[in-house]
Amino acid sequence: MIRFAGLPDATWAFMPSRAGGAVPATLRIEIGPVTWEVCDATAYTSMLRAWRQAARLLGENPTEDE
């Protein structure tokens, strides 16, 4: 669907933690209408694993860091 409509906008922002640690630092990634909020290395690793699996299912070449 993305290819039919062109490339979606991709933006990111780092949001520092709030005082007292009630809200952790977050990396927010927005691609088209989808937003991911990555709060730690485990979340990032999980998201990266899912993107790599999607690339394999679509028959794309593996990335150079695999």
Side-chain angles (χ1 to χ4, degrees):
M1 290 181 2
I2 291 172
R3 289 184 180 168
F4 287 126
L7 294 175
D9 289 332
T11 59
W12 63 273
F14 178 75
M15 320 247 254
S17 60
R18 294 192 188 156
V23 177
T26 304
L27 174 62
R28 179 176 287 166
I29 304 167
E30 296 179 13
I31 301 177
V34 179
T35 301
W36 288 274
E37 290 190 353
V38 183
C39 300
D40 58 23
T42 302
Y44 176 79
T45 302
S46 176
M47 185 177 71
L48 183 58
R49 187 180 310 119
W51 276 111
R52 286 180 175 160
Q53 181 180 9
R56 282 191 297 274
L57 290 171
L58 293 170
E60 298 292 327
N61 294 326
T63 60
E64 64 185 39
D65 62 332
E66 280 192 71

